[in-house]
Amino acid sequence: MPINVTKFREAERRFKKRVPDMEGVLDLRATNKHPRAKQICKLEGDGSWMWGVEGKEGLFFIPSALDEQQQKYWITKAMSSYMAPPNLTNLDAHYHIPEKGLWAYFENNEILQIKRKVHPDDSVQTQALPMEQILDRDGIKSLMRRIRWVTLGYQYDWTSKEYDFSRSPVPFPPTLAAYSSALTQSAGLGPSRPEAGIVNFYQPGDTLTGHVDRSEPNMQAPLVSMSLGAPCIFLVGGRGRDEEVLPVLLRGGDVVIMAGEARYFYHGVPRILPLECGRMEDEDPKVQLALELLGDARININIRQTDIPVPAEAPKLPKTKMEKELAQRVIVVLECAPLEIVRVGKGSEARHHLLNSDDHQNVLRKHSKDLSDYRPDITHQCLLALLDSPLNKAGRLQVYIHTQKGVLIEINPHTRIPRTFSRFAGLMVQLLHKLSIRAVGSNEKLLNVIRNPISDHLPVKCQRVAMSGEGETVKIGEWVKTLPEEPIVFFIGAMAHGEDKFEFAESKISVSEYPLAAATVCSKVCHAFEDLWDII
Ligand SMILES: O=C(O)CCC(=O)C(=O)O
Ligand SMILES: [Fe+2]
């Protein structure tokens, strides 16, 4: 064996030979079973057996999981509905696929006028072809036989080997999801939530090189893989390309499940084999047509649970003036926030910082400023307490910052406040320079400097309360129950000390007999309204 040829590569070569050596191939339908095959359990329902293999943890086979009728059902589905837009296929890069899909033309014996797209990989022969082609049924059939893959649900980008989570997913076919989930459930692997799938089409002579499917954020969820049509050799190794490789004979109707450790195993298809008992036939013309299109090919449908990190359900916010007037919600204005920019360093080394008593003692002393006046960390803590609260997540909170210098900032409730102070400070510097910060890849403003005064942004009818040690002390949980059903505004000082004189407040309350940090006051306000409005 030449050096540098891995065990996986060697196995691939072995099965690509004209007459491959079938010695040691695991054939779960053979009467004398492979020494390493072990029966795991009988599935509920149709009573198929699930097999495992010694030394291949998490790898399961269900031979003949699908009877002929079921195989025909999935073959027809794959050819007719799965191949059609909005699902993507390898042909999309080369052709403008008609909206109703190729199958519709094939089935109805319609002439198809199809436009080619110029593609960087086009051969000289392809480039010479006309940009528009007129295809009859045979032409459409040849084109459809060029389909090698179709993506289901979350669309997979074959170049980057990543899911395109920015595109809204095409709904995953519900019957396929139900089948896959019922199968993992009856195999004792728990229910799965199929979200993405790939349908592979292998014409005789096609191969799939060894790989690990690593793109799913959740690599623990089982991957269910269904074989239809022609048999094949399926190779499965271990975590590395040089681990022992097991060749398996998969036939139409067999199912493979890769769970746990096996999700990390190299696998591939080096060989499509001839049909053992000829092509299937059916009386139903649609099924018969799908079988005709299939010919001697193999179809593999593999079903994956991605567990995409979906952002928490965005709260519905009052948008119209009317909604803003009436929606029962809490508005917090963080008052006197010391957010100021300072230039540090000279010349090209100069950087803008958020002025603060920890990092800029010299500057502050030089300008005879009181260090304790520069505590932007208090604003940071208040924002974390407020925006992380269930009250905010439920869409019942609006926060503004009014800085010591009179800058008014509106905070979009969807904003994720940076966890560390230094990143928060960087964000504030950016905001004070650019006057607004937008969400990455979207037009939504997260932080926005708005025009003064704050009263222009508050509902006409609302209570305006200052939180102050000078106010009457109340048990806030009880006090909120006495409020009229209208929006309420709290002015909370985001400074270390100083008088709580907030221009637009009409009354003052204190929520503790102790002096509290501003962030604690924010938390108490949130908790009180969460309890009042049953937000858990
Ligand atoms: O065709 C098969 O059986 C395997 C397909 C596969 O591994 C894949 O699509 O990632
Ligand atoms: Fe794979």
Side-chain angles (χ1 to χ4, degrees):
M1 185 184 41
I3 37 172
N4 290 340
V5 171
T6 62
K7 284 194 179 145
F8 206 93
R9 190 84 197 90
E10 192 194 357
E12 286 177 323
R13 285 183 181 174
R14 167 180 161 197
F15 289 100
K16 280 181 184 167
K17 287 207 178 111
R18 209 167 59 83
V19 185
D21 155 27
M22 300 294 274
E23 178 74 34
V25 172
L26 171 65
D27 176 357
L28 287 162
R29 294 198 203 171
T31 33
N32 40 349
K33 292 286 178 247
H34 196 278
R36 282 169 61 195
K38 41 179 192 178
Q39 265 183 331
I40 306 274
C41 63
K42 200 168 186 166
L43 302 189
E44 291 157 23
D46 64 1
S48 325
W49 275 95
M50 182 162 91
W51 295 77
V53 180
E54 237 172 65
K56 301 280 182 207
E57 186 81 27
L59 178 68
F60 305 106
F61 296 97
I62 309 165
S64 307
L66 306 165
D67 63 22
E68 193 171 313
Q69 230 21 60
Q70 290 167 319
Q71 292 175 53
K72 287 176 181 173
Y73 173 81
W74 295 117
I75 292 167
T76 312
K77 275 272 183 210
M79 298 297 192
S80 56
S81 62
Y82 299 167
M83 266 190 193
N87 294 335
L88 293 179
T89 81
N90 56 302
L91 288 188
D92 282 275
H94 305 274
Y95 290 94
H96 293 276
I97 302 294
E99 218 172 294
K100 59 179 182 177
L102 299 175
W103 173 266
Y105 290 83
F106 183 61
E107 187 179 21
N108 300 324
N109 208 354
E110 268 178 62
I111 295 293
L112 170 66
Q113 214 169 331
I114 193 164
K115 274 202 191 129
R116 202 159 60 76
K117 290 181 188 171
V118 176
H119 190 272
D121 295 345
D122 283 344
S123 63
V124 181
Q125 289 96 313
T126 307
Q127 285 171 33
L129 291 173
M131 286 307 286
E132 192 152 331
Q133 293 170 16
I134 295 177
L135 304 177
D136 61 5
R137 185 180 250 182
D138 279 345
I140 299 170
K141 188 171 166 183
S142 316
L143 187 63
M144 291 182 86
R145 283 197 170 161
R146 284 170 56 197
I147 294 186
R148 290 291 174 276
W149 55 259
V150 172
T151 44
L152 305 175
Y154 276 101
Q155 301 291 300
Y156 190 72
D157 181 329
W158 286 81
T159 326
S160 62
K161 293 208 161 31
E162 279 176 359
Y163 288 100
D164 189 351
F165 296 144
S166 62
R167 290 177 51 146
S168 37
V170 177
F172 193 85
T175 42
L176 189 59
Y179 172 75
S180 168
S181 181
L183 193 74
T184 54
Q185 176 93 7
S186 65
L189 299 166
S192 47
R193 188 163 24 83
E195 292 159 316
I198 299 173
V199 187
N200 292 299
F201 296 86
Y202 300 83
Q203 297 298 333
D206 285 348
T207 59
L208 177 70
T209 38
H211 65 279
V212 177
D213 297 291
R214 298 180 194 275
S215 310
E216 290 71 36
N218 177 2
M219 286 288 287
Q220 293 309 305
L223 185 155
V224 172
S225 177
M226 209 189 253
S227 287
L228 301 163
C232 77
I233 296 291
F234 177 73
L235 296 179
V236 54
R239 278 188 180 244
R241 286 180 190 271
D242 246 333
E243 287 182 43
E244 187 261 345
V245 181
L246 177 76
V248 186
L249 175 57
L250 291 183
R251 297 180 178 87
D254 293 350
V255 166
V256 180
I257 301 181
M258 298 175 90
E261 178 66 11
R263 283 298 318 266
Y264 297 93
F265 290 171
Y266 272 89
H267 58 279
V269 180
R271 183 72 176 233
I272 301 299
L273 297 164
L275 285 164
E276 289 168 335
C277 352
R279 295 184 187 178
M280 290 187 278
E281 290 190 355
D282 202 88
E283 281 165 14
D284 181 328
K286 182 172 177 176
V287 178
Q288 183 55 32
L289 206 58
L291 294 171
E292 185 192 318
L293 186 59
L294 174 72
D296 294 336
R298 168 176 184 261
I299 299 180
N300 161 261
I301 305 181
N302 61 71
I303 304 145
R304 303 143 188 237
Q305 174 171 332
T306 55
D307 281 351
I308 315 304
V310 184
E313 181 92 354
K316 191 178 169 309
L317 305 171
K319 284 232 164 64
T320 63
K321 186 134 183 59
M322 188 73 162
E323 282 173 341
K324 282 187 178 163
E325 280 300 323
L326 298 178
Q328 243 196 318
R329 60 198 175 114
V330 175
I331 299 165
V332 170
V333 184
L334 296 174
E335 279 287 357
C336 304
L339 302 180
E340 256 181 70
I341 294 181
V342 62
R343 217 174 118 97
V344 181
K346 289 200 174 73
S348 62
E349 298 284 286
R351 294 281 178 275
H352 289 101
H353 289 207
L354 189 68
L355 188 56
N356 71 81
S357 59
D358 280 341
D359 301 326
H360 309 112
Q361 296 186 0
N362 291 344
V363 186
L364 289 168
R365 284 211 185 91
K366 205 164 105 192
H367 292 92
S368 317
K369 303 256 191 195
D370 185 345
L371 284 184
S372 63
D373 283 343
Y374 292 88
R375 295 279 313 280
D377 56 299
I378 297 176
T379 307
H380 182 220
Q381 288 166 12
C382 289
L383 287 177
L384 288 174
L386 292 166
L387 294 197
D388 279 351
S389 69
L391 185 70
N392 182 50
K393 298 198 168 140
R396 308 288 288 270
L397 178 65
Q398 172 66 60
V399 181
Y400 296 94
I401 303 174
H402 191 214
T403 75
Q404 240 159 24
K405 294 261 178 194
V407 180
L408 188 59
I409 303 163
E410 184 179 47
I411 315 279
N412 181 325
H414 301 165
T415 311
R416 191 176 142 79
I417 299 297
R419 307 277 112 182
T420 67
F421 176 72
S422 70
R423 282 192 288 127
F424 168 74
L427 184 70
M428 287 300 124
V429 169
Q430 246 189 65
L431 171 68
L432 294 171
H433 273 301
K434 301 208 296 201
L435 305 184
S436 71
I437 303 278
R438 284 174 199 277
V440 179
S442 116
N443 234 3
E444 192 179 15
K445 278 187 185 166
L446 294 180
L447 305 170
N448 194 20
V449 171
I450 54 174
R451 121 193 94 66
N452 272 301
I454 181 68
S455 53
D456 284 358
H457 305 275
L458 301 178
V460 178
K461 211 164 166 298
C462 63
Q463 299 241 350
R464 300 166 184 207
V465 184
M467 291 301 202
S468 167
E470 297 157 18
E472 183 200 343
T473 304
V474 298
K475 274 189 176 168
I476 188 161
E478 298 301 317
W479 180 81
V480 294
K481 291 181 193 159
T482 66
L483 294 171
E485 288 191 4
E486 60 188 25
I488 178 159
V489 187
F490 290 99
F491 295 88
I492 301 176
M495 67 287 192
H497 58 82
E499 224 185 313
D500 305 310
K501 255 173 80 185
F502 311 131
E503 193 184 342
F504 296 100
E506 297 156 341
S507 60
K508 284 182 181 175
I509 59 163
S510 156
V511 290
S512 173
E513 287 169 349
Y514 302 95
L516 296 184
T520 312
V521 176
C522 291
S523 295
K524 279 184 85 78
V525 168
C526 292
H527 294 168
F529 284 92
E530 285 154 9
D531 284 347
L532 183 69
W533 291 333
D534 270 337
I535 299 167
I536 300 167

